[in-house]
Amino acid sequence: MAQEDLAARRCEPCRGGVPPMDRAMAEDYLVQVPGWILKDQPSRIERDFRFPDFAQAQAFAAQVGDLCEAEGHHAEIHYGWGHCTVAFWTHKIKGLHENDFVMAAKVNGIAEAPYVPASVGTEPPPYVQGKA
């Protein structure tokens, strides 16, 4: 299954009661999501994304958050000046599920899209205009 195939899939609700992926299966899926690494024997996957400034890291974190909410599969997101770290695991099974890799592929797609500042085509906020 190619990365594009994973990115095109939707997360399926995981109700628990299924075992988490073992290391061999997780490694098979990992090759489909470049840049992601296995963490904690593997109970999660993680990737650190780099950006030239805070605004782009923050915008990326917001896009990932919006994606997670839309898919109903939530990430742990940490960001600061020039970086955003995203981690996935399936809480109900305390480990990795195919959904985690589907989300990783979708996040890779966001990262590959060109950055367009939110302010493009909108009036700057009052504090930028000197009205605050």
Side-chain angles (χ1 to χ4, degrees), residues 60-76:
F60 179 77
Q63 286 182 298
V64 171
D66 290 344
L67 169 68
C68 291
E69 191 62 23
E71 291 285 331
H73 192 75
H74 301 95
E76 184 162 315

Side-chain angles (χ1 to χ4, degrees), residues 76-130:
E76 184 162 315
I77 305 168
H78 298 273
Y79 71 95
W81 198 98
H83 71 93
C84 181
T85 302
V86 180
F88 285 104
W89 68 94
T90 300
H91 301 262
K92 288 194 184 222
I93 62 172
K94 297 179 173 66
L96 290 170
H97 184 276
E98 184 178 82
N99 287 339
D100 300 305
F101 293 91
V102 167
M103 292 301 292
K106 289 177 182 289
V107 169
N108 279 359
I110 292 171
E112 293 163 5
Y115 172 70
V116 178
S119 62
V120 171
T122 61
E123 187 174 316
Y127 64 86
V128 173
Q129 299 173 15

Side-chain angles (χ1 to χ4, degrees), residues 4 13 59 114:
E4 295 80 7

